[in-house]
């Protein structure tokens, strides 16, 4: 790894006085939980476990420890708020989340672009990043402004501390973003630290309760606002389709596809630039092996669940639809999900299809992460057969 950007170096120096609390993670957790409210005993215990083991990575930086605590605090705060709102307004739990669309697939397969294209329709409702970070009822303009400002601060910090991150995965506080920020337990903490105990627990976890909570989040965001069809997205749904469909049985699954030999190094590059904020030094070969296994396992679980999805509820989107020619692919996507593609949507398409101004091309290769094409083809043999069928269709 190259030397850290100056803003990141300064942030680590500023945060170093509080870095010692990493040695007493239970005490640090107690402080976070005390300020969060009633998140529920089981929910709280699960996040205590996560923070306790997160603290054990000996390569964690002061920024990494600060980020870990922020992750835990946010989930505890949001869970307590959602529980309180439903207790105060029981009708929230009756809000119908009807025929939602979930964009899934491996990361780096144009899931973000697909989600962005679907967000163009006025008939669709996509959660904005600031809403996912602080789910709440409509509230006052001042509350909304405060929540947006907090999301902008998070995005700004990422772009300041890791300038190349924006080139790979641009984020906007007020743009549509993915369910990952609302789901309690995903593999994303593993993109900030090496947490083998948490990784092992995820492999045997029943995610149904997580998706039941996710539904509550969207019920809160829907309550008191116009009802529109939810369009949701996360590559991490791919490994949890069984739990997702048990909670959202009438969902439409939009599954994006791309060659894993391009997906894996692209995603490893994204993880590298994000993890550089929280760990020093990085072992890039370890990173490659970890995420090849995690992505392969997610796909294996997704393929197993796919067999039970009604054909009319499953839409396969090859990378060429939007990755190569969005103008011709977008109308096909809308037709497939049963939505109207309008001239107004077409006029706004360049907004979501264009790269951010000033961003640079993203270059990546498998060898940097100790991987070969043969490694990837072996890991994704079952998926590659499906992808070939999708490309032929």
């Amino acid at each position: 790894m190259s030397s850290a950007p100056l803003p990141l170096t300064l942030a680590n120096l500023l945060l170093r006085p509080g870095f010692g609390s990493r040695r007493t993670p239970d005490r640090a957790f107690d402080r976070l939980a005390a300020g969060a409210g009633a998140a529920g005993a089981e929910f709280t215990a699960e996040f205590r476990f996560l923070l306790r083991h997160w603290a054990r990575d000996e390569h964690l930086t002061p920024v990494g420890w600060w980020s870990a605590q922020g992750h835990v605090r946010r989930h505890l705060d949001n869970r307590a708020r959602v529980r309180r709102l439903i207790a105060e307004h029981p009708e929230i739990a009756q809000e119908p989340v009807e025929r939602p669309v979930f964009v899934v697939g491996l990361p780096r397969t144009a899931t973000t672009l697909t989600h962005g294209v679907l967000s163009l329709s006025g008939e669709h409702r996509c959660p904005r990043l600031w809403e996912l970070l602080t789910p709440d009822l409509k509230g006052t303009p001042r509350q909304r402004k405060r929540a947006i400002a907090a999301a902008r601060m998070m995005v700004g910090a990422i772009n300041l501390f890791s300038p190349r991150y924006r080139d790979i995965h641009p984020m906007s506080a007020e743009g549509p973003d993915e369910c990952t920020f609302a789901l309690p337990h995903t593999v994303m903490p593993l993109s900030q630290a090496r947490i083998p105990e948490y990784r092992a627990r995820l492999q045997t976890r029943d995610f149904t309760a997580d998706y039941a909570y996710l539904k509550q989040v969207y019920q809160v965001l829907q309550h008191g606002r116009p009802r529109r069809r939810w369009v949701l997205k996360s590559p991490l749904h791919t490994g949890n389709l069984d739990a997702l469909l048990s909670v959202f049985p009438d969902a439409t699954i939009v599954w994006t596809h791309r060659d894993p030999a391009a997906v894996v190094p692209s995603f490893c590059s994204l993880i590298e630039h994000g993890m550089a904020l929280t760990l020093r030094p990085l072992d890039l070969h370890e990173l490659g092996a970890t995420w090849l296994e995690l992505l392969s396992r997610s796909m294996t679980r997704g393929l197993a669940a796919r067999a039970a999805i009604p054909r009319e509820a499953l839409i396969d989107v090859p990378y060429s639809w939007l990755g190569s020619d969005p103008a011709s692919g977008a109308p096909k996507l809308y037709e497939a999900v049963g939505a109207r593609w309008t001239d107004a949507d077409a006029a706004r398409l360049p907004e979501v299809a264009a790269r951010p101004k000033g961003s640079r091309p993203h270059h990546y290769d498998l060898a940097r992460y100790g991987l070969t094409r043969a490694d990837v083809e072996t890991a994704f043999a079952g998926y590659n057969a499906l992808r070939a069928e999708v490309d032929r269709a």
Side-chain angles (χ1 to χ4, degrees):
M1 281 296 293
S2 59
S3 59
L6 179 60
L8 179 59
T9 299
L10 293 175
N12 277 315
L13 288 172
L14 288 171
L15 293 170
R16 185 161 292 281
F19 193 42
S21 64
R22 182 174 66 108
R23 301 188 189 93
T24 55
D26 281 334
R27 189 179 303 169
F29 182 86
D30 288 339
R31 288 195 295 269
L32 298 175
E42 183 176 354
F43 191 93
T44 301
E46 289 171 342
F47 275 91
R48 180 184 293 277
F49 176 91
L50 172 58
L51 189 67
R52 180 184 296 157
H53 292 284
W54 201 326
R56 292 181 180 177
D57 190 333
E58 68 272 19
H59 292 166
L60 203 63
T61 64
V63 165
W65 178 233
W66 172 79
S67 178
Q69 294 174 90
H71 176 93
V72 169
R73 180 190 299 110
R74 176 169 60 82
H75 280 287
L76 292 176
D77 286 347
N78 288 344
R79 170 73 168 199
R81 185 186 314 106
V82 168
R83 282 164 54 92
R84 175 178 56 78
L85 290 172
I86 293 176
E88 294 173 352
H89 308 278
E91 65 274 15
I92 292 175
Q94 304 307 314
E95 285 282 345
V97 180
E98 296 175 334
R99 300 171 49 249
V101 175
F102 282 88
V103 180
V104 308
L106 288 171
R108 314 305 295 167
T109 58
T111 55
T112 299
L113 178 57
T114 302
H115 192 219
V117 168
L118 288 170
S119 76
L120 293 172
S121 174
E123 299 175 357
H124 294 161
R125 171 78 158 96
C126 295
R128 307 293 159 170
L129 176 59
W130 69 270
E131 295 179 304
L132 291 164
L133 293 175
T134 316
D136 205 341
L137 299 181
K138 188 174 182 179
T140 66
R142 182 179 180 184
Q143 289 171 321
R144 175 190 172 106
K145 185 176 181 180
R146 189 185 309 125
I148 292 174
R152 286 177 177 169
M153 187 177 298
M154 186 196 82
V155 173
I158 292 172
N159 293 339
L160 181 66
F161 294 160
S162 182
R164 286 304 313 277
Y165 197 91
R166 178 175 175 269
D167 298 332
I168 306 170
H169 183 66
M171 298 171 66
S172 167
E174 295 171 83
D177 221 303
E178 56 189 63
C179 305
T180 307
F181 290 102
L183 277 168
H185 295 284
T186 72
V187 297
M188 289 320 293
L190 305 181
S191 71
Q192 296 189 48
R194 300 165 303 169
I195 320 173
E197 299 86 356
Y198 185 65
R199 178 177 173 180
R201 182 168 286 197
L202 289 177
Q203 291 180 353
T204 59
R205 183 175 180 80
D206 180 353
F207 289 90
T208 305
D210 293 333
Y211 280 88
Y213 170 64
L214 182 68
K215 182 178 180 179
Q216 291 179 330
V217 168
Y218 293 128
Q219 288 173 315
V220 165
L221 292 176
Q222 180 174 280
H223 186 63
R225 296 156 174 150
R227 290 179 183 170
R228 290 175 287 164
R229 190 182 188 186
W230 282 101
V231 176
L232 308 166
K233 169 249 181 180
S234 175
L236 304 188
H237 291 319
T238 309
N240 300 326
L241 289 176
D242 50 354
L244 185 157
L245 290 168
S246 72
V247 175
F248 302 95
D250 60 346
T252 294
I253 303 299
V254 174
W255 193 319
T256 58
H257 299 274
R258 188 185 182 191
D259 183 356
V263 166
V264 171
S266 178
F267 189 63
C268 284
S269 177
L270 176 65
I271 295 295
E272 175 189 348
H273 284 87
M275 192 174 270
L277 277 66
T278 59
L279 295 186
R280 287 278 169 170
L282 290 182
D283 183 334
L284 297 184
H285 287 198
E286 179 185 45
L287 185 157
T290 294
W291 287 97
L292 178 64
E293 193 277 331
L294 288 171
L295 294 176
S296 174
R297 186 176 187 278
S298 174
M299 181 55 67
T300 298
R301 287 174 53 85
L303 292 176
R306 178 186 172 97
I309 302 175
R311 191 65 194 92
E312 64 274 13
L314 179 62
I315 299 162
D316 288 308
V317 179
Y319 190 73
S320 59
W321 272 25
L322 296 175
S324 302
D325 187 6
S328 64
K332 290 191 290 185
L333 175 63
Y334 269 59
E335 181 181 7
V337 301
R340 295 184 305 114
W341 179 252
T342 68
D343 290 342
D345 298 330
R348 294 179 58 208
L349 179 61
E351 296 177 22
V352 298
R355 291 180 59 84
K357 290 183 180 180
S359 63
R360 294 177 288 174
H362 180 204
H363 301 293
Y364 45 84
D365 71 278
L366 284 165
R368 179 172 177 82
Y369 306 101
L371 301 172
T372 66
R373 186 177 185 93
D375 294 330
V376 177
E377 290 181 348
T378 298
F380 291 95
Y383 170 63
N384 277 329
L386 168 64
R387 189 175 59 84
E389 291 180 16
V390 170
D391 288 342
R392 286 195 298 267

